[in-house]
Amino acid sequence: MSTTTSFFIPVQEQIHRVEGLMRSQAEGHNPDLKAALDHLIASGGKRIRPTLTILTGRMLGADEDRAVTLAAAIELLHTATLVHDDLIDGSLLRRGIPTLNSRWSPGATVLTGDFLFARAAKLAADTESVPAISLFATTLGIIVNGEITQLFNSRCRADREEYYQRIYAKTASLFETCTTCAALISPVDQETTDLVRQYGYDIGMAFQIIDDVFDFTSDQSKLGKPVGSDLRQGLITLPTLHFLENHPDDEDAQEIISGDCLYYDEQVGRLVEKIRASDAIASSLVEANNYVDQALEKLQRLPACPERSYLEELTLYITRRNV
Amino acid sequence: MSTTTSFFIPVQEQIHRVEGLMRSQAEGHNPDLKAALDHLIASGGKRIRPTLTILTGRMLGADEDRAVTLAAAIELLHTATLVHDDLIDGSLLRRGIPTLNSRWSPGATVLTGDFLFARAAKLAADTESVPAISLFATTLGIIVNGEITQLFNSRCRADREEYYQRIYAKTASLFETCTTCAALISPVDQETTDLVRQYGYDIGMAFQIIDDVFDFTSDQSKLGKPVGSDLRQGLITLPTLHFLENHPDDEDAQEIISGDCLYYDEQVGRLVEKIRASDAIASSLVEANNYVDQALEKLQRLPACPERSYLEELTLYITRRNV
């Protein structure tokens, strides 16, 4: 099993088209929107979601233009949610690049996110698949509902079930939408659609667990924010859950388990260090790898083809990538 | 020609269903979202857009369930835009009722608006008409683009063309979407669709001009904000444009025409009084009535039926309503 990123190569041209389609959404609109969109696209990530969408679509026989349109819709939706997230969190940098809200007023930032939602919805409509459009809208509702729940109800909650629901809403729901919508625009049966839906779910869950691990194991220069910033904001993720379960007698852990937040920087910093040094990291990685194994098992049930091999690579990359 | 509001009666049951459908969008989601949505629906207006959608759909032979779904999608979209507008403007009251942002944090308000956009898009998808879904998304883009343009470029601009573009984006585009989408889910030809699209455009333009007149002619208790608040925020609407054209020598007018804002409350207050007392109000009403006449002319080209008569009433109501 390789850990290369060569799966990006066969979709390079399509990803280029996805970015072009995203960029074109500001055409005929306010020039400031065009500037904002160019900035957001230039500071985009690795385009893992569009890559997943296009490889799945190609594997299942989707029309390439529709798959590119769908991938652009999904990546624009993802971009829109990040614009509002960064505003709400007051984040000034993302991937080391200034966020929109670091330069624009809150009002302009809210409206830019809204505009991106609108154009993402238009791109989804351009796939002309009512089931795909419908799932797309449902998923946006799930993502936003998850954010509201996190805002209102998640602070300092050490609850495993709540954690899985949260990372489903935050990340796995959109990965699931990538693969499911790709199936919905392809000539495949319900069984195949269900299979790739579960595959998307599995890699989405793994992806977010790894992100939550990185928040402890990486360093500030790579993260673009302090190590342990989730915990510093009162957000209990999988490494902390494992630590609490394995060290219930730790005095900082006891405070959290009893439903309190750690209000002192020093105390949070100490707990972050304890978690980094503990087996909680390895236990979390085991969980992520279990999801990866389940994802690979689902792929095995599909006919062998070059795209399936690339998706296997992509799946392994989820847990082996850097931040 | 009557000025009754009896056109609301034949759609009463359907509007009740529209509100039920809007309310149900929070089901299975965070309870705080349900509370927010209940509050927003309870403080809703006269439901002129759903009424227009349902009457147009019934006139053109649309399936009633689909028309109700479409009407709910449009009203929820409208509600979502108001939630973000009130946040951006810092408005604490709408129709005399506390806004969401007067009670909730900016972050929670942004996310609630986003959730409503998502569920509005889902309702639009439920109509299962790709052209209607597509227009719906396009219109959201137009509305938001208009708001961004107003935020960045409209301050103290005395430009008639810019004014018409602004009120199209702000109001007429959604009225146009009500009637056009109703046609798109009906068994009618392109010519009829174009006709009702123009009809929706005309009443939408009239509706916003009347709103802009009310901003001068009504009183603070009815408006829920100071008289002339558009002008106080540097927003030049039709009454001011007429005043500037008819009184270019007025010294306050000269300042605006030269591209300056009126920065002193006293000066703005004086200009508001001059506009109220001038023929600018009557000239603006003539323009609104011209749009109403054009709207009625378009209706005349459709076959006579009870719904057409109700739409005539609705059209007349646009300019004869109170705030």
Side-chain angles (χ1 to χ4, degrees):
Chain A
M1 292 201 296
S2 84
T3 57
T4 66
T5 56
S6 56
F7 64 89
F8 280 122
I9 296 167
V11 297
Q12 237 168 4
E13 186 211 319
Q14 288 74 24
I15 295 299
H16 191 72
R17 287 178 57 204
V18 164
E19 291 181 353
L21 206 47
M22 290 170 72
R23 199 172 278 114
S24 73
Q25 297 308 306
E27 275 168 21
H29 293 94
N30 192 291
D32 288 303
L33 277 174
K34 182 163 171 34
L37 189 52
D38 285 346
H39 173 76
L40 290 166
I41 292 170
S43 54
K46 300 191 186 70
R47 310 291 184 217
I48 188 86
R49 293 164 190 78
T51 300
L52 175 63
T53 306
I54 287 165
L55 284 174
T56 306
R58 197 184 289 170
M59 175 175 69
L60 303 179
D63 172 77
E64 184 172 289
D65 287 348
R66 281 176 99 189
V68 164
T69 303
L70 174 63
I74 288 172
E75 190 69 359
L76 202 58
L77 179 77
H78 177 57
T79 307
T81 61
L82 298 184
V83 166
H84 281 183
D85 281 359
D86 288 340
L87 171 68
I88 293 167
D89 296 344
S91 307
L92 302 179
L93 290 173
R94 176 174 288 273
R95 304 188 192 100
I97 295 166
T99 56
L100 207 58
N101 53 288
S102 73
R103 300 169 164 198
W104 278 13
S105 69
T109 306
V110 169
L111 291 174
T112 302
D114 291 352
F115 180 77
L116 300 183
F117 281 131
R119 299 309 305 181
K122 177 63 172 70
L123 281 167
D126 289 347
T127 67
E128 297 189 345
S129 160
V130 171
I133 298 166
S134 186
L135 176 57
F136 188 85
T138 300
T139 303
L140 176 57
I142 289 171
I143 294 170
V144 176
N145 182 61
E147 290 176 308
I148 290 182
T149 304
Q150 179 169 325
L151 201 63
F152 282 138
N153 311 109
S154 298
R155 213 172 130 71
C156 308
R157 271 190 68 180
D159 179 330
R160 218 172 231 275
E161 204 43 54
E162 195 260 343
Y163 171 75
Y164 295 120
Q165 283 175 18
R166 176 148 45 86
I167 69 171
Y168 171 69
K170 183 175 187 166
T171 303
S173 63
L174 194 56
F175 275 79
E176 196 182 68
T177 299
C178 292
T179 54
T180 312
C181 283
L184 289 170
I185 61 164
S186 299
V188 295
D189 59 12
Q190 185 63 46
E191 198 185 342
T192 304
T193 305
D194 284 345
L195 199 58
V196 297
R197 183 186 60 69
Q198 292 168 38
Y199 164 69
Y201 172 87
D202 288 334
I203 57 175
M205 294 297 278
F207 190 92
Q208 188 56 48
I209 290 174
I210 294 296
D211 258 10
D212 292 342
V213 168
F214 281 147
D215 192 52
F216 286 94
T217 60
S218 192
D219 54 54
Q220 182 158 354
S221 66
K222 281 187 189 150
L223 289 169
K225 56 188 176 183
V227 173
S229 61
D230 287 335
L231 193 56
R232 288 171 207 277
Q233 290 169 39
L235 202 63
I236 310 291
T237 60
L238 195 58
T240 307
L241 287 170
H242 275 292
F243 184 84
L244 298 180
E245 287 165 18
N246 296 338
H247 305 84
D249 299 331
D250 180 275
E251 62 177 16
D252 298 324
Q254 281 188 330
E255 216 159 306
I256 291 180
I257 293 167
S258 69
D260 285 335
C261 273
L262 302 180
Y263 289 106
Y264 300 104
D265 266 5
E266 196 193 329
Q267 196 181 14
V268 183
R270 193 171 60 215
L271 184 57
V272 168
E273 281 313 312
K274 282 188 280 193
I275 293 170
R276 277 166 71 103
S278 78
D279 51 4
I281 300 300
S283 305
S284 301
L285 290 175
V286 166
E287 281 202 42
N289 280 315
N290 285 344
Y291 279 114
V292 164
D293 289 344
Q294 288 173 41
L296 290 172
E297 187 269 319
K298 268 135 211 164
L299 281 181
Q300 288 309 312
R301 289 197 252 160
L302 292 161
C305 63
E307 287 74 30
R308 195 186 77 169
S309 303
Y310 290 128
L311 286 171
E312 283 166 5
E313 271 186 28
L314 180 149
T315 307
L316 293 169
Y317 166 79
I318 296 281
T319 49
R320 300 182 189 180
R321 67 200 157 104
N322 296 316
V323 170
Chain B
M1 292 202 295
S2 83
T3 56
T4 66
T5 56
S6 55
F7 63 88
F8 280 121
I9 298 168
V11 296
Q12 236 168 6
E13 186 211 319
Q14 288 73 22
I15 295 298
H16 191 73
R17 287 179 56 205
V18 165
E19 292 181 352
L21 207 45
M22 290 169 72
R23 197 172 279 114
S24 73
Q25 296 308 307
E27 275 168 19
H29 294 95
N30 192 290
D32 289 302
L33 277 174
K34 183 165 169 32
L37 189 52
D38 285 347
H39 173 77
L40 290 165
I41 291 170
S43 54
K46 300 191 188 70
R47 309 289 185 219
I48 188 87
R49 292 164 190 80
T51 300
L52 174 63
T53 306
I54 287 165
L55 284 174
T56 306
R58 198 184 289 170
M59 175 175 71
L60 303 180
D63 173 76
E64 186 173 287
D65 286 349
R66 281 176 98 189
V68 165
T69 303
L70 174 63
I74 288 172
E75 190 69 359
L76 202 58
L77 179 77
H78 177 58
T79 307
T81 61
L82 299 184
V83 166
H84 282 183
D85 281 359
D86 287 340
L87 171 68
I88 293 166
D89 296 344
S91 307
L92 303 178
L93 291 174
R94 175 174 288 273
R95 304 189 192 100
I97 295 167
T99 56
L100 207 57
N101 52 289
S102 73
R103 301 170 163 199
W104 279 13
S105 69
T109 307
V110 169
L111 291 174
T112 303
D114 291 352
F115 180 77
L116 301 182
F117 281 131
R119 299 309 305 179
K122 177 63 171 72
L123 281 167
D126 289 347
T127 67
E128 298 190 344
S129 160
V130 171
I133 297 167
S134 186
L135 176 57
F136 188 84
T138 300
T139 303
L140 176 56
I142 290 171
I143 293 170
V144 176
N145 183 60
E147 290 176 308
I148 289 182
T149 303
Q150 180 169 324
L151 201 63
F152 282 138
N153 311 108
S154 298
R155 213 172 131 72
C156 307
R157 271 191 69 179
D159 178 332
R160 218 172 232 274
E161 205 43 53
E162 195 260 343
Y163 171 74
Y164 295 120
Q165 282 175 17
R166 175 149 44 90
I167 68 171
Y168 171 69
K170 182 177 188 167
T171 303
S173 63
L174 194 56
F175 275 80
E176 197 182 67
T177 299
C178 293
T179 54
T180 311
C181 283
L184 289 171
I185 60 164
S186 299
V188 296
D189 59 12
Q190 186 62 45
E191 198 185 342
T192 304
T193 305
D194 284 344
L195 199 59
V196 297
R197 183 187 60 71
Q198 292 168 37
Y199 164 70
Y201 171 86
D202 288 335
I203 57 174
M205 295 296 278
F207 190 93
Q208 188 55 48
I209 291 174
I210 294 296
D211 257 12
D212 292 341
V213 168
F214 281 147
D215 192 53
F216 285 95
T217 60
S218 192
D219 54 54
Q220 183 159 352
S221 65
K222 279 187 189 149
L223 289 170
K225 56 187 176 182
V227 174
S229 61
D230 287 336
L231 193 56
R232 289 172 206 275
Q233 291 170 36
L235 202 63
I236 311 291
T237 60
L238 195 58
T240 306
L241 287 169
H242 276 291
F243 184 84
L244 298 180
E245 287 164 17
N246 296 338
H247 305 84
D249 298 333
D250 180 276
E251 62 177 17
D252 297 324
Q254 281 188 327
E255 216 158 306
I256 291 179
I257 292 167
S258 69
D260 285 335
C261 273
L262 301 179
Y263 288 107
Y264 300 104
D265 265 5
E266 197 193 328
Q267 196 182 16
V268 183
R270 192 170 64 216
L271 184 57
V272 168
E273 282 313 313
K274 283 189 281 194
I275 293 170
R276 277 166 71 101
S278 78
D279 51 4
I281 300 299
S283 305
S284 301
L285 290 175
V286 166
E287 281 201 42
N289 281 315
N290 285 344
Y291 278 114
V292 164
D293 289 344
Q294 288 173 41
L296 291 172
E297 187 269 320
K298 267 136 212 163
L299 281 181
Q300 289 310 311
R301 289 198 251 159
L302 292 161
C305 63
E307 287 73 31
R308 196 186 76 170
S309 305
Y310 290 128
L311 286 171
E312 283 165 7
E313 271 187 27
L314 180 150
T315 306
L316 293 169
Y317 166 79
I318 297 282
T319 48
R320 298 180 190 183
R321 69 201 155 102
N322 297 313
V323 171

